Amino acid sequence: MSALEVGVVGLGYWGPNLLRSLSRVSQLKVRYACDLDDEKRAKLAHSYPQTRFTGNFQELLDDRDLGAVVVASPAPTHADLARRALLANKDVFVEKPLALAASDAEELVELASERDRVLMTGHLLEYHPAVTRLKETIEAGELGEIFYVYTHRLNLGVIRRNENALWSLAPHDLSLITYLLGQEPVEVRAVGHSYLGGEVEDVVFGTLRFADGKLAHLHVSWLDPHKERKITVVGSKKMAVFDDMARDGKLKIYDKGAEAPEYRSYGEYLNLRFGDIVMPYVPNDEPLRLECEHFAECLAERKQPRSDGHSGLRVVRALEALQHSLSAGGQAVSLQSTLLARESGG
Ligand SMILES: NC(=O)c1ccc[n+]([C@@H]2O[C@H](COP(=O)([O-])OP(=O)(O)OC[C@H]3O[C@@H](n4cnc5c(N)ncnc54)[C@H](O)[C@@H]3O)[C@@H](O)[C@H]2O)c1
C-alpha cells in the first residue's frame, strides 16, 4: 500500500490543472482520474497512460491501496464527496470552497480529526511565493501594527449563472485575509447587485470587522473594465501591495505612513512620511506546483496542511455570513454570536 497514490475527481476547467501538477510531483502517483462526463475523460486519457480514467467515484473509495482523493468537482458536490472519501479513510484535498455550509465544513474537519486524515483546502494563494513573503514581512513586524486590508478581484468575465461573484471569487480573498491577519472576522456586511439579468450578484462589496479593530474590505466582480487581483495591507509603520497581475514586482513595500513628532501628543500634529518603495525578491515558482508539493509533503509526513480544514472552515463561515448580509440588504451579521450559539448547542 502506498499513501501517496491519489485520485482526482472532476476534470472540468480546473481539474486538468490539478491532474497535470499532481502528476509532476515525484512522490505522487495519480492512480485515478474521475469525471461523470465521458468526453472530459476521453479528452485527457491519452496523455496519462498510467492513470485509470473512470466515471465512478465509488471505484476510488473501494480501492484500499488509494491513499488520497483530490476533489475538483463543482462546489455543491464538495461536502458529499469529501465526506464519503474521509469515511473511506482517504486523505482529502478539496478545492475551494471547502463546502457551501459552515455546518458541513465543520463536520469534515471533525471527521478528518477523528480518523486522523489529512484534510486540505485548495486555497491556492496561500502558496503564492509573494504571499509567503508578505506573511513573513507582517510577522517580522516590518509593517508595524496592521490597521486594515482591502482586496480587488475584478475582470470582465467569466460570468457564472449558478453561483454569485461572492462564492465564485471571494474564497481566494477571504483565505488571504484570514491567513495574513491570522484571525477570523467577528462581524461582516455585504452589498451587491445582479446587473446582467441573472439571479446571482455580478458584483459584491464586503466588509469584515475583527475583534481587535482591524478592518478588511473586498470587492469582487466579473463586470469590470479592469483585470485586477490585488491586496493592499496598511500598517502603522509601512504599507504593502501584492498585485498578482504585475509582471515584475508583484510585492511592493511602501515606507509610507503618518506619525506624530515626539514633542507633540498624537493627533495634535501628524507628519506624513514618504519613503522608499522596495520590491522584495520573490521566486518565480508556480503556486499550483507548490500547493501540490505541499499536499504530497503532508501525506508523507502525516501533518496538517497550511490551508487545512480549519482554514477552509474559516472561509466558509465568512462566506456564509457575508451571504446572509447580502440577502438582508447589507445588514451587519455577527459571526461571534453564531459561533457562541453553536458552542452552546443553540
Ligand atoms: N484554485 C483555483 O484557482 C480554482 C480555479 C477554478 C476553479 N476552482 C475550483 O475547482 C472546482 C471545479 O471548478 P471548475 O470550474 O473546474 O468546474 P467545472 O464545472 O468546469 O468542472 C467540474 C467537473 O466535475 C464533474 N463532476 C461533477 N460531479 C461529479 C461527480 N460526482 N463525480 C465525478 N465528476 C463530477 C463535472 O462533470 C465537470 O466536468 C470548484 O470548486 C472551483 O471553485 C479553483
Side-chain angles (χ1 to χ4, degrees):
M1 139 134 200
S2 164
L4 299 188
E5 295 199 343
V6 305
V8 179
V9 188
L11 305 171
Y13 161 67
W14 192 246
N17 295 332
L18 279 165
L19 177 61
R20 187 195 68 235
S21 293
L22 291 163
S23 301
R24 289 180 183 165
V25 179
S26 56
Q27 304 98 305
L28 295 180
K29 179 172 174 224
V30 182
R31 198 176 164 97
Y32 291 92
C34 170
D35 199 294
L36 296 175
D37 185 329
D38 298 347
E39 275 181 29
K40 300 254 169 63
R41 298 198 306 274
K43 227 166 79 183
L44 290 161
H46 64 277
S47 306
Y48 299 91
Q50 311 291 331
T51 299
R52 177 168 163 69
F53 282 72
T54 174
N56 182 8
F57 179 60
Q58 190 59 39
E59 205 180 315
L60 279 67
L61 304 186
D62 291 342
D63 185 337
R64 295 171 68 91
D65 288 342
L66 185 74
V69 168
V70 174
V71 178
S73 50
T77 64
H78 288 182
D80 179 49
L81 296 181
R83 184 185 299 113
R84 288 170 61 195
L86 288 168
L87 287 171
N89 284 327
K90 310 294 182 199
D91 296 313
V92 181
F93 173 113
V94 187
E95 256 314 323
K96 54 82 193 164
L98 178 57
L100 292 186
S103 53
D104 282 331
E106 269 165 21
E107 191 195 336
L108 296 177
V109 169
E110 275 164 26
L111 255 182
S113 159
E114 274 165 31
R115 296 186 168 240
D116 211 11
R117 295 295 98 195
V118 172
L119 176 60
M120 176 155 162
T121 313
H123 291 163
L124 182 64
L125 286 180
E126 291 183 35
Y127 301 92
H128 196 301
V131 173
T132 303
R133 184 65 189 258
L134 177 55
K135 175 87 171 156
E136 286 165 5
T137 305
I138 292 172
E139 284 184 349
E142 210 184 307
L143 306 187
E145 183 198 343
I146 304 305
F147 288 157
Y148 70 92
V149 305
Y150 63 91
T151 64
H152 288 168
R153 192 161 300 276
L154 316 169
N155 200 2
L156 187 59
V158 177
I159 296 163
R160 308 267 175 185
R161 290 284 173 222
N162 299 323
E163 57 180 2
N164 63 16
L166 176 72
W167 286 88
S168 175
L169 302 171
H172 285 306
D173 302 301
L174 291 167
S175 83
L176 260 188
I177 292 168
T178 50
Y179 175 60
L180 291 176
L181 298 185
Q183 52 182 317
E184 348 191 8
V186 290
E187 186 188 83
V188 304
R189 291 165 201 262
V191 289
H193 200 79
S194 168
Y195 292 100
L196 298 178
E199 294 191 347
V200 299
E201 290 83 1
D202 310 302
V203 55
V204 175
F205 301 90
T207 310
L208 294 80
R209 202 168 58 73
F210 295 82
D212 58 0
K214 289 182 178 54
L215 279 176
H217 184 261
L218 59 87
H219 175 191
V220 288
S221 172
W222 53 59
L223 182 61
D224 199 281
H226 309 287
K227 181 163 185 178
E228 272 191 35
R229 290 173 187 170
K230 209 188 256 188
I231 179 163
T232 302
V233 183
V234 174
S236 59
K237 290 190 191 157
K238 292 185 184 175
M239 305 174 183
V241 177
F242 162 48
D243 179 357
D244 207 6
M245 298 313 298
R247 272 168 59 87
D248 300 309
K250 285 182 189 283
L251 179 63
K252 290 196 179 110
I253 312 289
Y254 293 75
D255 185 9
K256 287 186 174 190
E259 50 201 33
E262 275 174 22
Y263 56 88
R264 286 177 186 262
S265 66
Y266 190 84
E268 201 178 324
Y269 185 81
L270 290 173
N271 281 335
L272 298 182
R273 186 167 38 75
F274 299 88
D276 292 339
I277 302 167
V278 173
M279 290 192 290
Y281 168 71
V282 172
N284 194 21
D285 295 322
E286 193 200 359
L288 184 57
R289 177 173 69 75
L290 297 175
E291 184 183 48
C292 291
E293 286 174 356
H294 183 71
F295 185 51
E297 193 185 309
C298 293
L299 296 181
E301 296 175 18
R302 306 309 305 160
K303 62 177 193 184
Q304 285 306 319
R306 180 184 301 175
S307 56
D308 61 4
H310 292 279
S311 161
L313 171 60
R314 278 194 290 276
V315 167
V316 176
R317 265 194 202 127
L319 282 167
E320 197 178 65
L322 284 160
Q323 181 60 53
H324 281 147
S325 174
L326 191 57
S327 307
Q331 263 180 30
V333 171
S334 160
L335 277 99
Q336 234 170 11
S337 58
T338 324
L339 288 177
L340 290 174
R342 273 219 187 92
E343 274 160 22
S344 63

